[in-house]
Amino acid sequence: MDRILILAQLLLAGFSILGIVAGKPDLLGRHLATLAVAFAGTLAAALVPPTAWIRNARWLYVLGLVTLVAVLIVGRGPEDQENVRRWFQFQIRSLQFSVQPSEFMKIILVVYLASFFSRRGTDYPIIGPVVSIGLAAGLIAIEPDLGTALFLLFLAAFILIVIGVPFRRLIAIGLLVTLIVASIHGVFLNKFEYITDRVDAWRVMNLDPTLLERWEPDHAKRIRDAIYQPERARLVLRAAGPLGHGPSAELPTNLPERQNDMIFAVITYAGGWIGAGMLLLAYGLVFARGMQIATRSTGALSMLALGLTGYLTGQALMNIVVTMAIVPVTGISLPMVSAGGSGLLAAGLAFGILHATARHAGLLEEVAS
């Protein structure tokens, strides 16, 4: 195991426990068990040669698509949101758990893109990857999980740019995506108005508070409800202070999803702005080591390390800017920190593949010496 990566992963797990103790202590036992499963996933993935993931990239992608289609048919979603299907629900005796396929699709897409571009090169007609990215993001958007779908597109764009896909192809991809979005966004947003409510709530909080006075009463009420969560998170962050209030302190206000989407605010309140800085440092370690693994590897493995690093740290960045109300609410979790079985396990697997790639690149021996 790579010492730097395991140190960062343990730090993140420690902050995760702090966030649960401070925000939802009744979930601690279940959360510790989920963390154990995530670390078991890390160990299992670390033992698999990273080339095995590349060899089986197509089958993994097909499996990912099948699960995304199946969840639209037999999946379940939040009880307060109609027509939302995001996860499979399972029960084994008294144990009940859920699996969210979109979380694992992030890893699968990284593996698929690494496999494709290592075989075809970056200046190859890339209609295949474009269709693959579009299918995955489209199926996730239909659930609907627009935040995860957008993150998948951003992750793919990050990989394509960094590995050197020519700009003429990137521009063509951007125009195609824009055309598709323009043709469907009206129907999609009308069906799921809570998405536009989140955007309008962000506009009220950051651009023009007087908008509420100009809207119809029903619309204004929906926006006030949408503002509640990011507004409470911002209040908690401001009240944290440099040193925080400790894990036993009660939050100054109610904060929905404090164990998941908004756990960064809870950790900051408990550990202070200094604690939040240490959490950012842990993700900085992941980014620095992941990029080092990518630069020391070649071909598909370099792209694999690059993509997984982008997944872990890019999603963390998105979660944090959402918590700070810099961008609209997306529902994106904090990797290896937020509660939730699928998200934690996917992050654990990503760490495990990075461990295996570091071993393949000979970095473990270098650290040991």
Side-chain angles (χ1 to χ4, degrees):
M1 304 287 277
D2 184 89
R3 293 182 182 180
I4 298 176
L5 283 178
I6 200 65
L7 171 63
Q9 193 173 359
L10 288 171
L11 283 173
L12 293 175
F15 279 113
S16 179
I17 294 170
L18 172 63
I20 296 300
V21 170
K24 284 279 189 177
D26 54 308
L27 297 179
L28 182 59
R30 184 181 180 88
H31 185 65
L32 290 175
T34 307
L35 275 175
V37 172
F39 274 93
T42 298
L43 178 60
L47 295 175
V48 176
T51 51
W53 297 92
I54 302 299
R55 285 197 307 269
N56 295 285
R58 292 178 181 175
W59 294 111
L60 287 171
Y61 179 78
V62 171
L63 177 62
L65 280 188
V66 169
T67 58
L68 288 178
V69 172
V71 81
L72 295 175
I73 301 172
V74 299
R76 300 182 63 181
E79 294 181 358
D80 60 340
Q81 296 180 17
E82 296 183 6
N83 301 320
V84 176
R85 300 179 185 273
R86 294 179 183 170
W87 57 75
F88 299 109
Q89 195 78 39
F90 299 99
Q91 183 162 356
I92 302 177
R93 296 184 180 178
S94 60
L95 177 63
Q96 189 176 55
F97 62 96
S98 59
V99 176
Q100 190 169 348
S102 59
E103 292 292 340
F104 302 100
M105 195 65 196
K106 300 167 187 174
I107 298 176
I108 291 172
L109 188 63
V110 168
V111 173
Y112 175 81
L113 293 177
S115 173
F116 179 90
F117 286 107
S118 67
R119 290 182 288 107
R120 302 294 188 181
T122 56
D123 199 13
Y124 184 86
I126 54 176
I127 188 66
V130 171
V131 171
S132 302
I133 295 167
L135 275 175
L139 288 171
I140 293 171
I142 293 171
E143 294 181 1
D145 187 352
L146 191 58
T148 299
L150 288 174
F151 176 72
L152 211 62
L153 293 176
F154 286 132
L155 178 60
F158 168 76
I159 296 172
L160 297 183
I161 292 171
V162 176
I163 67 176
V165 171
F167 275 99
R168 67 181 187 279
R169 299 197 184 281
L170 293 175
I171 293 172
I173 295 170
L175 291 174
L176 178 61
V177 171
T178 301
L179 179 62
I180 295 172
V181 171
S183 63
I184 68 172
H185 83 285
V187 175
F188 183 82
L189 294 181
N190 287 336
K191 186 176 180 181
F192 302 105
E193 62 182 14
Y194 76 90
I195 296 173
T196 55
D197 288 349
R198 290 176 175 180
V199 176
D200 287 342
W202 176 83
R203 290 170 60 199
V204 170
M205 290 184 65
N206 295 279
L207 300 179
D208 188 0
T210 64
L211 285 172
L212 280 174
E213 302 171 4
R214 306 178 213 166
W215 285 326
E216 295 294 330
D218 290 343
H219 186 196
K221 181 182 182 303
R222 292 204 321 269
I223 302 309
R224 289 190 185 93
D225 292 341
I227 287 174
Y228 185 82
Q229 185 189 43
E231 189 178 58
R232 298 300 94 185
R234 183 180 282 181
L235 189 155
V236 171
L237 290 171
R238 288 174 178 171
L243 301 178
H245 301 269
S248 61
E250 185 176 350
L251 294 180
T253 182
N254 178 50
L255 179 60
E257 297 297 328
R258 61 178 65 185
Q259 79 282 5
N260 196 337
D261 302 349
M262 296 294 165
I263 197 170
F264 177 73
V266 177
I267 293 171
T268 302
Y269 189 77
W273 301 331
I274 293 176
M278 293 178 64
L279 176 59
L280 294 176
L281 177 61
Y283 282 113
L285 283 176
V286 175
F287 181 80
R289 190 56 169 174
M291 296 304 289
Q292 185 181 25
I293 295 170
T295 55
R296 292 292 296 273
S297 303
T298 58
L301 297 187
S302 178
M303 299 180 200
L304 182 63
L306 173 73
L308 292 175
T309 303
Y311 153 48
L312 291 168
T313 58
Q315 183 169 315
L317 177 63
M318 181 175 284
N319 174 274
I320 291 169
V321 297
V322 164
T323 305
M324 298 173 70
I326 296 174
V327 299
V329 173
T330 61
I332 290 288
S333 61
L334 196 58
M336 209 66 219
V337 176
S338 293
S342 296
L344 279 174
L345 180 55
L349 291 174
F351 269 105
I353 299 172
L354 279 175
H355 284 296
T357 308
R359 183 177 65 249
H360 193 275
L363 289 176
L364 301 191
E365 292 77 4
E366 185 177 291
V367 172
S369 62

